[in-house]
């Protein structure tokens, strides 16, 4: 187990280093004065300009500049927003919980529904139910989510009035940000609003989470199905049947346990799809997360925010993938204690 | 009454050309504690027969039989659920590739304990104790350590022993071994067959040994059933078949076994039948062996029936071979 952890950590560290290097190259490629790009409109020759130039090392060699960049990034200095003048890391941490909350909820929907639908289709392989699940998942997989999101708003929010159109919670409620997760924070406000705030936050979350979950859900359902069909044809399933194990247990224990192994990696890859989708979803639903934050930074040409934000998102994706690889090793006995 | 009684069992699979018969009206009986060998080349339907007895055929397979009983219970009269649990309690099966027939995600102990639990051993302590006993019964050294290991950490022979341990956990009346040694080394093959025969005598457990290798059966079985293209070609006492096969196909199978130090000369080719087993949806008219049979004659375009041959057993041939004269060794 320790070997696996060390292995994953070293892979994680080298991926981070690689990402930082690529980002450094990109910042070198941006046309214009690097000092102005990073610190805003400073007058060349002024004291502030010189100090900024020195901290970036613009007059030093390529490798010295990379060393300085690495040192800044690793010490948590991702620059300062040109608009708000706040540290990019601070801003990221303010917006990130909203995205995380949305993504976790969406992943749960995608995983639970996707795996169940996939298993359902695999068990009924070749029937019209299987065809129905598979063709609708193909539609879901190819769905442009900005259009899908608006369609759902039109139907569920405007026509039926079941869910709010946008935001994380109604302005009626004054919620103190404790954890940054609205569902949890609204429970902290229990003495004030009882469960009303929680239900309100939940009703705001359901629609965007479902929209965000659509593509991963379809992908997971299709993968589960094919993985499951393969596993259910294996000899050890026959062995289990011959032993007299019940069908339910064969499918959900003997089958799914094996089918999950190849899926874990692909589910991990879906996390980057999820974050890309979050940018679109947050824009549609006015969800104050990093997606919306990044889009606004792009419109305002806030370069330090864009650079720092994208780098932080990349870190996060690498982190998820490293954890998924670790999980893969944990659930696959064949990765443990090689013979 | 017999342990296993099959009358006219037919298995068909749907294809786009209609139903295809992979097993055609097979009838056989096993007495309790008997060792029956089922021999035939790949595609002869012997594995399908085994799966049918165990109730493990794919759901799209169509099974029909005039009579099918296991351990005095008519299986056709039970509901699907009843049949499944009855078969699980009375019969077990082991497959060709032991590393594929054990679940890679669960430890040996998990899988053995599951079998024991299904047979009414509820308490963990007891399951653990029984599992260790079972592993020692099948000749596995250091059973305590093996319990926590996974199939991929063990050798093929070891895995097959674990499969056997799992199979006998329910104290079955019938054990079907579907080519149990094909994927194993020759020395291990002998050990596994020996283990199966020992379990057969110790526990009075019927053993159906399915193989394509006549050599494996030679001494061990009481009766042999030779299958070809889904039909039984010859069904007789094993001593009779081995000494004097009456069906040309049985004879060909026996002659294709290489013997060290006898009959073979340098450069002589090992005997084999010409051609291959016919595709099951493209069977020849009449006798299914017809096109490959060295003794085929005009009448072989008519389907032969499985008929009794005096002092021998059942043979499906218009021209059964004469009884071989006793050769001096």
């Amino acid at each position: 187990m320790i070997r696996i952890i060390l292995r994953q950590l070293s892979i994680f560290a080298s991926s981070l280093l690689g990402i930082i290097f690529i980002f450094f190259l990109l910042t070198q490629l941006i046309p214009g004065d690097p000092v102005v790009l990073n610190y805003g409109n400073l007058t060349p020759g002024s004291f502030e300009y010189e100090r900024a130039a020195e901290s970036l090392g613009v007059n030093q060699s390529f490798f010295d500049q990379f060393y300085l960049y690495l040192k800044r990034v690793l010490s948590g200095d991702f620059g300062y927003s040109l608009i708000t003048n706040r540290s990019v890391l601070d801003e990221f941490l303010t917006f990130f919980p909203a995205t995380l909350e949305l993504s976790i909820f969406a992943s749960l929907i995608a995983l639970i529904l996707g795996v169940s639908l996939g298993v359902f289709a695999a068990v009924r392989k070749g029937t019209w139910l299987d065809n129905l699940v598979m063709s609708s998942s193909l539609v879901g997989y190819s769905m442009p989510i900005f259009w899908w999101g608006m369609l759902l708003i039109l139907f569920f929010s405007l026509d039926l009035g079941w869910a709010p159109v946008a935001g994380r919670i109604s302005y009626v409620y004054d919620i103190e940000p404790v954890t940054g997760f609205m569902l949890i924070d609204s429970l902290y406000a229990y003495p004030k609003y009882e469960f009303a705030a929680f239900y309100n936050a939940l009703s705001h979350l359901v629609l965007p989470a479902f929209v965000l979950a659509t593509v991963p859900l379809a992908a997971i359902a299709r993968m589960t199905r094919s993985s499951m069909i393969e596993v259910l044809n294996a000899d050890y399933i026959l062995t289990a049947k011959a032993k007299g194990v019940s069908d339910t247990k064969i499918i959900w224990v003997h089958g799914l346990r094996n089918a999950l192994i190849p899926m874990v990696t692909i589910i991990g890859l879906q996390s980057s799809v999820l974050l890309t989708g979050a940018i679109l979803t947050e824009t549609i639903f006015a969800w104050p997360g990093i997606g919306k934050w990044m889009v606004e930074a792009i419109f305002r040409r806030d370069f330090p925010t864009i650079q720092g934000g994208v780098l932080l998102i990349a870190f996060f994706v690498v982190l998820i993938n490293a954890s998924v690889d670790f999980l893969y090793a944990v659930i696959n006995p064949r990765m443990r204690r090689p013979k | 009454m017999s342990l296993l009684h099959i009358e006219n069992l037919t298995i068909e699979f749907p294809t786009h050309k209609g139903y295809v018969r992979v097993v055609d009206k097979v009838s056989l009986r096993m007495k309790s504690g008997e060792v029956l060998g089922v021999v035939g080349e790949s595609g002869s339907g012997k594995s399908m027969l085994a799966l049918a007895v165990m109730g493990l055929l794919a759901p799209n397979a169509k099974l029909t039989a005039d009579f099918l009983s296991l351990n005095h219970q008519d299986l056709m009269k039970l509901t699907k659920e009843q049949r499944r649990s009855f078969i699980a309690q009375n019969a077990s099966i082991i497959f060709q590739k032991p590393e594929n027939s054990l679940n890679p995600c669960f430890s040996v102990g998990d899988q053995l304990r599951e079998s024991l639990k299904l047979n009414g051993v509820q308490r963990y302590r007891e399951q653990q104790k029984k599992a260790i006993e079972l592993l020692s019964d099948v000749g596995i050294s250091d059973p305590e350590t093996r319990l926590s290991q996974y199939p991929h950490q063990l050798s093929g022979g070891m895995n097959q022993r674990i499969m056997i341990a799992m199979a006998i956990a329910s104290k079955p009346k019938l054990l079907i071994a579907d080519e149990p040694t094909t994927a194993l080394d020759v020395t291990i093959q002998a050990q596994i067959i020996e283990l199966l025969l020992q379990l057969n005598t110790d526990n009075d457990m019927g053993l159906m040994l399915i193989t394509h290798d006549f050599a494996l059966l030679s001494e061990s079985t009481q009766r042999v059933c030779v299958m070809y293209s889904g039909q039984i070609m010859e069904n007789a006492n094993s001593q009779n078949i081995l000494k004097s096969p009456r069906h040309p196909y049985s004879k060909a199978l026996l002659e294709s076994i290489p013997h060290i130090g006898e009959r073979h000369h340098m450069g002589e080719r090992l005997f084999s039948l010409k051609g291959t087993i016919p595709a099951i949806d493209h069977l020849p008219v009449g006798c299914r062996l017809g096109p490959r049979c060295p003794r085929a004659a005009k009448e072989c375009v008519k389907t032969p029936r499985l008929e009794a041959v005096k002092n021998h057993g059942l043979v499906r041939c218009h021209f059964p071979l004469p009884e071989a004269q006793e050769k001096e060794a």
Side-chain angles (χ1 to χ4, degrees):
Chain A
M1 193 53 100
I2 293 169
R3 251 190 39 180
I4 297 172
I5 295 174
L6 285 179
R7 210 180 88 97
Q8 289 304 328
L9 277 180
S10 66
I11 293 174
F12 179 59
S14 44
S15 321
L16 280 192
L17 200 68
I19 290 176
I20 295 174
F21 184 65
I22 290 170
F23 263 78
F24 173 68
L25 285 183
L26 286 176
T27 57
Q28 296 279 309
L29 287 174
I30 300 174
D33 186 345
V35 178
V36 176
L37 286 175
N38 278 291
Y39 288 96
N41 264 329
L42 302 176
T43 337
S46 69
F47 174 68
E48 291 86 356
Y49 184 92
E50 292 305 325
R51 213 179 58 174
E54 200 184 321
S55 77
L56 289 174
V58 281
N59 298 322
Q60 295 173 32
S61 74
F62 177 82
F63 291 105
D64 285 336
Q65 287 191 46
F66 177 59
Y67 176 69
L68 281 173
Y69 182 73
L70 192 64
K71 225 163 77 176
R72 272 192 297 135
V73 166
L74 290 183
S75 65
D77 176 8
F78 292 86
Y80 289 83
S81 162
L82 296 183
I83 311 292
T84 61
N85 217 19
R86 283 176 67 202
S87 135
V88 171
L89 187 63
D90 281 349
E91 294 225 305
F92 178 82
L93 291 178
T94 341
F95 291 110
F96 190 57
T99 301
L100 205 56
E101 186 174 34
L102 181 66
S103 308
I104 289 174
F105 211 73
S107 321
L108 285 179
I109 296 177
L111 268 179
I112 294 169
L113 275 182
V115 169
S116 327
L117 282 176
V119 170
F120 178 84
V123 174
R124 285 162 186 76
K125 188 183 77 173
T127 63
W128 66 272
L129 279 167
D130 172 32
N131 291 335
L132 182 75
V133 171
M134 279 306 100
S135 43
S136 38
S137 76
L138 190 63
V139 173
Y141 190 68
S142 353
M143 189 68 80
I145 65 170
F146 50 89
W147 180 73
W148 177 231
M150 288 183 198
L151 216 62
L152 290 187
I153 291 179
L154 274 178
F155 189 65
F156 287 107
S157 306
L158 300 180
D159 285 355
L160 295 174
W162 289 356
V165 177
R168 294 181 78 184
I169 195 158
S170 164
Y171 290 113
V172 178
Y173 303 101
D174 178 29
I175 304 291
E176 191 77 22
V178 186
T179 57
F181 296 97
M182 193 53 86
L183 286 182
I184 299 171
D185 288 350
S186 62
L187 285 178
Y188 271 105
Y190 181 78
K192 216 157 142 194
Y193 305 113
E194 302 199 323
F195 279 118
F198 177 76
Y199 289 140
N200 191 272
L202 195 63
S203 73
H204 277 80
L205 183 58
V206 170
L207 211 51
F210 184 71
V211 169
L212 183 53
T214 305
V215 173
L217 190 161
I220 289 173
R222 297 182 75 81
M223 273 163 356
T224 310
R225 177 181 177 271
S226 59
S227 183
M228 199 66 187
I229 286 175
E230 202 185 310
V231 166
L232 288 179
N233 278 327
D235 276 354
Y236 50 80
I237 296 294
L238 280 186
T239 307
K241 270 188 198 163
K243 274 159 79 171
V245 182
S246 71
D247 277 335
T248 327
K249 215 178 155 203
I250 284 177
I251 292 164
W252 293 101
V253 180
H254 290 259
L256 193 60
R257 180 70 173 72
N258 283 283
L260 274 179
I261 293 173
M263 278 170 54
V264 165
T265 323
I266 307 173
I267 290 173
L269 292 177
Q270 290 294 317
S271 67
S272 52
V273 177
L274 210 66
L275 280 175
T276 329
I279 296 180
L280 290 169
T281 314
E282 286 174 7
T283 312
I284 302 163
F285 287 91
W287 190 266
I290 47 164
K292 199 159 164 283
W293 172 59
M294 287 312 303
V295 171
E296 272 167 16
I298 291 167
F299 286 143
R300 291 168 174 170
R301 296 175 168 267
D302 186 351
F303 287 108
T305 305
I306 301 170
Q307 277 177 36
V310 172
L311 189 55
L312 282 165
I313 294 173
F315 280 1
F316 185 67
V317 172
V318 173
L319 181 70
I320 292 180
N321 279 301
S323 341
V324 163
D325 282 349
F326 175 69
L327 192 67
Y328 177 81
V330 170
I331 70 163
N332 189 354
R334 272 167 290 198
M335 296 286 286
R336 273 179 261 162
R337 285 183 296 181
K339 208 158 140 189
Chain B
M1 229 176 128
S2 18
L3 168 64
L4 179 69
H5 185 177
I6 304 173
E7 282 303 333
N8 289 333
L9 179 122
T10 297
I11 303 169
E12 290 166 302
F13 277 96
T15 62
H16 23 254
K17 285 186 223 153
Y19 277 92
V20 161
R21 276 190 185 189
V22 293
V23 171
D24 188 21
K25 293 195 177 159
V26 164
S27 304
L28 55 85
R29 273 164 181 257
M30 274 177 80
K31 289 194 287 272
S32 68
E34 188 183 342
V35 183
L36 171 77
V38 178
V39 200
E41 61 195 288
S42 309
S44 56
K46 52 199 194 311
S47 292
M48 280 299 153
L49 181 67
L51 291 179
V53 172
M54 293 300 295
L56 295 177
L57 286 175
N60 62 345
K62 201 175 108 190
L63 183 148
T64 44
D66 292 347
F67 190 70
L68 177 57
S69 83
L70 173 68
N71 199 18
H72 318 305
Q73 170 68 50
D74 187 347
L75 293 179
M76 310 295 264
K77 279 189 184 142
L78 299 176
T79 65
K80 203 179 142 216
E81 298 303 314
Q82 286 173 325
R83 197 184 307 140
R84 184 127 155 217
S85 68
F86 181 81
I87 292 174
Q89 282 159 20
N90 290 280
S92 294
I93 186 167
I94 58 176
F95 298 106
Q96 185 174 355
K97 295 193 192 111
E99 57 274 27
N100 294 358
S101 21
L102 288 166
N103 195 323
C105 278
F106 296 97
S107 70
V108 171
D110 287 338
Q111 303 190 46
L112 273 169
R113 281 193 300 269
E114 185 182 40
S115 288
L116 289 164
K117 195 174 176 191
L118 288 162
N119 287 291
V121 187
Q122 293 300 336
R123 300 221 332 264
Y124 181 88
R125 280 273 178 77
E126 205 144 312
Q127 288 172 0
Q128 198 75 358
K129 210 183 107 214
K130 281 261 168 77
I132 291 171
E133 274 173 30
L134 282 171
L135 287 186
S136 335
D137 284 353
V138 296
I140 284 181
S141 58
D142 198 5
E144 288 89 350
T145 324
R146 302 289 171 246
L147 284 182
S148 60
Q149 286 182 314
Y150 287 86
H152 73 278
Q153 294 167 319
L154 303 168
S155 68
M158 193 93 88
N159 278 332
Q160 195 61 294
R161 283 175 193 271
I162 288 162
M163 273 302 288
I164 295 172
M166 235 158 72
I168 60 171
S170 58
K171 300 200 174 65
K173 288 274 169 287
L174 170 67
L175 177 65
I176 301 179
D178 186 1
E179 307 215 18
T181 59
T182 311
L184 304 175
D185 292 341
V186 181
T187 44
I188 311 290
Q189 285 188 4
Q191 292 175 11
I192 294 285
I193 295 295
E194 210 167 284
L195 171 64
L196 288 172
L197 292 173
Q198 186 207 326
L199 291 169
N200 158 256
T201 39
D202 291 357
N203 307 339
D204 193 32
M205 173 187 76
L207 177 64
M208 187 194 276
L209 196 54
I210 297 173
T211 177
H212 58 253
D213 187 358
F214 241 125
L216 267 184
L217 297 178
S218 31
E219 304 299 306
S220 51
T221 54
Q222 283 137 30
R223 289 173 70 77
V224 172
C225 209
V226 180
M227 283 186 77
Y228 182 80
S229 271
Q231 285 179 331
I232 289 181
M233 289 296 172
E234 186 165 0
N235 179 353
N237 190 297
S238 72
Q239 289 311 312
N240 289 351
I241 287 203
L242 289 168
K243 262 194 225 126
S244 149
R246 294 304 189 80
H247 195 284
Y249 182 64
S250 315
K251 185 162 182 270
L253 276 180
L254 275 168
E255 281 178 356
S256 65
I257 305 171
H259 295 269
I260 295 173
E262 58 170 293
R263 290 196 297 158
H264 297 287
H265 308 289
M266 277 285 268
E268 186 195 342
R269 301 192 66 164
L270 195 60
F271 176 82
S272 72
L273 273 184
K274 287 197 170 54
T276 52
I277 193 163
I280 207 78
D281 55 346
H282 248 285
L283 291 171
V285 181
C287 177
R288 295 188 177 177
L289 187 65
R292 299 175 73 188
C293 185
R295 291 164 57 91
K298 229 179 186 175
E299 266 169 283
C300 294
V301 296
K302 281 192 218 134
T303 311
R305 297 224 319 261
L306 195 60
E307 277 165 344
V309 169
K310 213 175 174 187
N311 295 331
H312 185 76
L314 300 166
V315 179
R316 189 191 292 275
C317 187
H318 294 301
F319 310 105
L321 295 158
E323 190 173 352
Q325 297 305 308
E326 204 62 45
K327 273 187 294 185
E328 64 268 27

